[in-house]
């Protein structure tokens, strides 16, 4: 089968790989019909994720069709159309029993990281009964690719961790796919104001179409100052960091109001300064999280009911044999205006 393989920092290639095989009774083999590229894949390629070793098939998002199941799989059978969760969960360990699937002792974020992932024609899914979701008949499977990762990530790590409430003021630092997913799902809670901050004018324009009340062009300098002026010097109740670089986390520290919350979503590959000399007395909360996908069933119902439209995040489409072009397009988003690229296997 064809698969996109990580070959070390800065290196990747489309290779012929053997078909995956069932290794345990609770596993399934899924024929991938659509997958996508995540910003985390770019972090892997930069060398920011040491758990991902060279030779790994990348990718942790997608939809597909069950090709084979292990003897203990009871929820699915061959031919079922399924959503692949970016998080694998046994459903039984101490962490899973508390809903923290991201820290499952035999799962978590392993696809495209510690085991081969979804940017291939087929993928092996551990704990299939609790790591796959049946796709309802008639659902838009292309749109549902956005539910593998970015929609639950933006919602859980940004909106829920950020304690977004009706009437509150929210700033999202980073208008990439994750930031826009946080923007879409923040509107579940009717905040009075959602301010998007980014260097990319196109992404800020998209954010306005998606429901942002205000935008700040960080390229104009002193984005934090602009937010403070917008809020009459008070700052924001929720600052969502959706980039994963020190500068964006610093901006969150500069704009959070007393009693507010900083919710980190971005994947950080280098150290970040925490300015407690300024913030120790501000009664703020700083929350980190790896997505648990506990909200995926709710989001699936919401998308299928057309209450939220994640398909609008898709800007480009490629066949699997053009996945290197997809990476180039996704990696040069400022030039290509890419948000999410969908790859058909």
């Amino acid at each position: 089968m064809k698969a996109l393989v990580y070959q070390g920092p800065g290196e990747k290639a489309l290779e012929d790989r053997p078909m995956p095989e069932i290794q345990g009774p609770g596993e399934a083999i899924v024929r991938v019909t659509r997958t996508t590229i995540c910003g985390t894949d770019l972090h892997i390629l930069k060398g920011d994720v040491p758990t991902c070793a060279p030779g790994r098939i990348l990718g942790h998002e997608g939809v597909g069709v069950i090709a084979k199941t292990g003897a203990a799989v009871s929820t699915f059978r061959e031919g079922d159309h399924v959503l692949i969760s970016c998080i694998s969960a046994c459903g039984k360990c101490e962490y899973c029993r508390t809903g923290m699937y991201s820290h499952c002792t035999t799962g978590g974020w392993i696809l495209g990281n510690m085991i081969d992932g979804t940017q291939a024609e087929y993928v092996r899914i551990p704990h299939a009964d609790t790591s796959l979701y049946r796709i309802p008949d008639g659902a838009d499977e292309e749109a549902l690719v956005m539910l593998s990762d970015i929609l639950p990530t933006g919602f859980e790590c940004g909106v829920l961790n950020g304690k977004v409430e009706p009437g509150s003021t929210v700033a999202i630092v980073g208008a990439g796919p994750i930031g826009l997913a946080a923007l879409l799902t923040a509107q579940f809670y009717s905040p009075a104001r959602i301010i998007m901050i980014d260097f990319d004018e196109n992404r800020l324009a998209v954010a306005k179409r998606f429901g942002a009340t205000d935008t700040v062009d960080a390229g104009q300098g002193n984005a934090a100052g602009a937010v403070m002026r917008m809020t009459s010097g008070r700052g924001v109740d929720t600052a969502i960091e959706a980039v994963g670089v020190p500068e964006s986390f610093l901006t969150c520290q500069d704009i959070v109001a007393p009693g507010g919350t900083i919710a980190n979503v971005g994947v950080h590959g280098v150290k970040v300064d925490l300015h407690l000399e300024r913030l120790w007395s501000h009664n703020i909360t700083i929350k980190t999280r790896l997505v648990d996908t506990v909200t995926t069933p709710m989001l699936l119902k919401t998308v299928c009911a057309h209450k939220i439209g994640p398909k609008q995040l898709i800007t480009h489409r490629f066949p699997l044999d053009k996945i290197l072009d997809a990476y180039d397009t996704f990696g040069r988003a400022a030039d290509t205006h890419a948000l999410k690229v969908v790859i058909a296997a």
Side-chain angles (χ1 to χ4, degrees):
M1 69 172 185
K2 297 293 184 183
L4 194 282
V5 179
Y6 172 58
Q7 297 182 327
E11 301 294 331
K12 60 188 180 300
L14 184 64
E15 298 182 3
D16 286 311
R17 281 296 188 91
M19 287 276 292
E21 297 289 340
I22 295 285
Q23 296 181 17
E27 298 183 349
I29 304 298
V30 176
R31 176 173 60 82
V32 180
T33 55
R34 294 178 183 86
T35 184
T36 185
I37 302 169
C38 181
T40 306
D41 296 321
L42 300 186
H43 279 284
I44 290 172
L45 287 166
K46 290 196 310 185
D48 289 346
V49 185
T51 51
C52 186
R56 179 69 61 230
I57 296 173
L58 293 179
H60 50 269
E61 302 166 86
V63 296
V65 180
I66 299 284
K68 188 177 182 181
T69 60
V73 175
S74 59
T75 305
F76 303 101
R77 61 184 182 184
E78 292 182 19
D80 286 344
H81 288 241
V82 292
L83 166 68
I84 300 167
S85 175
C86 65
I87 298 296
S88 301
C90 74
K92 299 176 182 178
C93 73
E94 179 180 0
Y95 291 113
C96 285
R97 300 272 290 188
T98 60
M100 198 156 60
Y101 302 151
S102 60
H103 289 269
C104 173
T105 55
T106 54
W109 174 41
I110 54 175
L111 283 176
N113 176 17
M114 300 172 72
I115 67 172
D116 287 337
T118 59
Q119 290 171 12
E121 292 180 87
Y122 291 84
V123 63
R124 177 177 65 91
I125 304 296
H127 308 307
D129 279 338
T130 45
S131 303
L132 298 171
Y133 298 88
R134 190 182 309 279
I135 294 177
D137 292 340
D140 187 335
E141 297 193 9
E142 188 175 66
L144 295 186
V145 176
M146 303 301 107
L147 268 70
S148 286
D149 184 349
I150 65 166
L151 216 61
T153 295
F155 184 50
E156 295 177 13
C157 304
V159 177
L160 295 184
N161 262 16
K163 296 186 287 189
V164 175
E165 297 179 346
S168 63
T169 299
V170 179
I172 302 172
V173 183
I178 287 290
L180 293 171
L183 167 62
L184 288 172
T185 54
Q187 293 170 73
F188 290 162
Y189 295 95
S190 300
R193 202 167 192 179
I194 306 177
I195 305 166
M196 296 292 294
I197 304 168
D198 203 284
F199 287 92
D200 190 317
E201 292 182 3
N202 174 69
R203 289 188 168 186
L204 291 174
V206 171
K208 287 289 283 187
R209 294 201 305 271
F210 284 14
T213 57
D214 305 272
T215 59
V216 173
D217 184 348
Q220 299 299 313
N222 196 15
V227 172
M228 296 305 287
R229 288 191 295 273
M230 287 179 178
T231 58
S232 302
R234 178 180 177 276
V236 300
D237 300 301
T238 300
I240 298 174
E241 194 287 320
V243 183
V245 297
E247 294 78 11
S248 54
F249 191 76
L250 177 60
T251 297
C252 289
Q253 295 178 65
D254 289 340
I255 63 177
V256 66
T261 300
I262 297 174
N264 183 83
V265 187
V267 178
H268 291 271
V270 298
K271 76 176 186 70
V272 177
D273 291 330
L274 174 61
H275 288 283
L276 283 178
E277 77 280 3
R278 289 191 285 110
L279 297 173
W280 69 270
S281 62
H282 277 47
N283 291 50
I284 67 164
T285 300
I286 298 174
K287 301 200 76 172
T288 67
R289 184 172 183 174
L290 180 60
V291 62
D292 293 302
T293 65
V294 291
T295 62
T296 298
M298 179 277 289
L299 292 169
L300 182 58
K301 292 176 184 177
T302 304
V303 170
C304 289
H306 307 291
K307 300 297 184 182
I308 187 171
K311 191 170 183 175
Q312 58 193 318
L313 291 163
I314 302 169
T315 55
H316 295 76
R317 294 166 176 84
F318 297 87
L320 181 61
D321 62 3
K322 298 294 184 183
I323 193 170
L324 295 177
D325 293 337
Y327 264 90
D328 177 66
T329 298
F330 187 67
R332 294 188 302 107
D335 298 323
T336 63
H337 296 171
L339 290 174
K340 290 296 283 185
V341 301
V342 166
I343 299 149

